[in-house]
Amino acid sequence: MALPLKVSVTGAAGPIAYSLLDRIANGEVFGNQQPVFLVLMDIPSMLAVLTGVAMELQDCAFELLQGVTVTDRAEVAFRDVDVAILLGATPRAEDMRCDDQFKYNVRIFRSQGMALDTYAKKTVKVLVVGSSANTNCLVAMTSAPSIPPENFSCLTRLGQNRAQAQAFQQRRETVVRTGCTMSVACAICDHLRALWSGTSEGELVSMGVISNGNSYGVPEQLIYSFPVTVKDGSWQIVAGLRVSEICRLRMAQSAQELLEERKGALTALARSNL
């Protein structure tokens, strides 16, 4: 049997993690011959909940699960990890301004990126889920200069899965209002499975990845959703797909929004109090 993969999950006391962790532990994500070791991280006030989650995982007696560590410290969560799944982000409270939420998340993902840079393996694969995933991923990537940029990606697979299920706008809004933790967890599994095992012949999947060298006119140095193929753990943006004019307009609009977010994030990163 292969050596265990060390998989770190932040925000691990939340509902998305609860829908995700057993699927990692039972071999659904990395394969039924790949043992895993889970490191669960959350804020100090959630450690009691995390301990309960760890006990549940152990009670399930998954053959592939080699152990579980619970922590609130990044230096423990990211030390020598092979895969980091960053679920944790600051949600917007009713009395919180969007700008304040944005600054809090810049702090979080800057700190996590720096910790990954210091403690994780340089081959670590980092998946950012916490919203706004594109910009949070960019912040983490920028804060971890010794890890290759292509090792960072953010979750955009949920949109692909919804489209394939013909889940259009009205249904999507209903699902979001009632909670979508299972579908997000499923999309995370799909994303990681493709990244780890590769895509099949002719299969394209959606991933938020660094935009450098794309053929769709998206500015460079953004984390943007592209159709990709994956082989041997490396993704490749599929070039030359036909894009309608309305899609190009929407892509340009999304890129402009991400450029504005990037500017705000870089400004925040430059401030001494961060």
Side-chain angles (χ1 to χ4, degrees):
M1 188 171 283
L3 293 174
L5 283 179
K6 195 171 186 180
V7 181
S8 177
V9 182
T10 72
I16 294 174
Y18 197 78
S19 295
L20 171 68
L21 293 172
D22 65 319
R23 302 177 73 167
I24 295 174
N26 70 13
E28 186 175 335
V29 176
F30 299 108
N32 59 15
Q33 297 297 314
Q34 178 60 64
V36 294
F37 188 101
L38 290 172
V39 187
L40 310 183
M41 178 182 171
D42 216 307
I43 58 177
S45 62
M46 300 304 293
L47 286 182
V49 176
L50 278 188
T51 300
V53 172
M55 289 178 178
E56 278 201 76
L57 286 167
Q58 291 162 346
D59 288 346
C60 289
F62 294 114
E63 292 184 5
L64 295 172
L65 183 59
Q66 301 296 296
V68 184
T69 292
V70 168
T71 187
D72 61 353
R73 296 188 297 154
E75 62 268 29
V76 175
F78 297 138
R79 188 175 297 277
D80 297 325
V81 294
D82 299 287
V83 181
I85 307 168
L86 309 186
L87 301 180
T90 300
R92 186 182 177 191
E94 288 186 9
D95 59 346
M96 183 186 291
R97 298 185 307 168
C98 288
D99 187 55
D100 289 334
Q101 180 194 25
F102 182 80
K103 290 177 182 177
Y104 290 144
N105 283 326
V106 167
R107 290 189 182 100
I108 290 170
F109 286 90
R110 182 198 185 204
S111 175
Q112 291 183 352
M114 293 173 66
L116 285 163
D117 196 58
T118 301
Y119 299 108
K121 294 179 180 178
K122 301 312 175 187
T123 54
V124 64
K125 302 293 187 184
V126 182
L127 171 59
V128 176
V129 179
S131 183
S132 159
N134 298 67
T135 299
N136 291 340
C137 184
L138 183 69
V139 170
M141 182 193 77
T142 303
S143 304
S146 70
I147 298 173
E150 58 269 22
N151 287 21
F152 288 81
S153 60
C154 77
L155 186 71
T156 61
R157 181 63 181 261
L158 182 58
Q160 175 185 339
N161 287 356
R162 284 174 173 159
Q164 289 173 336
Q166 298 183 338
F168 299 121
Q169 183 68 18
Q170 183 176 357
R171 179 180 180 277
R172 187 187 74 84
E173 291 176 353
T174 301
V175 170
V176 168
R177 284 196 300 269
T178 58
C180 53
T181 57
M182 282 192 296
S183 57
V184 173
C186 181
I188 293 169
C189 292
D190 290 340
H191 181 113
L192 290 172
R193 191 183 304 110
L195 195 59
W196 206 257
S197 301
T199 51
S200 57
E201 185 69 28
E203 180 187 15
L204 309 182
V205 297
S206 173
M207 288 187 183
V209 297
I210 190 71
S211 60
N212 297 356
N214 77 90
S215 65
Y216 299 100
V218 177
E220 298 206 340
Q221 291 300 314
L222 290 178
I223 300 294
Y224 196 90
S225 181
F226 291 102
V228 304
T229 57
V230 186
K231 183 178 181 181
D232 298 329
S234 297
W235 53 263
Q236 181 79 34
I237 297 174
V238 178
L241 295 180
R242 292 184 61 184
V243 179
S244 68
E245 187 61 29
I246 190 169
C247 283
R248 284 195 181 276
L249 289 173
R250 289 174 178 169
M251 289 176 68
Q253 181 181 9
S254 295
Q256 184 59 40
E257 291 171 356
L258 290 173
L259 283 170
E260 292 172 3
E261 285 191 13
R262 182 181 71 181
K263 181 179 178 181
L266 294 178
T267 299
L269 285 173
R271 294 176 180 169
S272 60
N273 64 336
L274 291 181

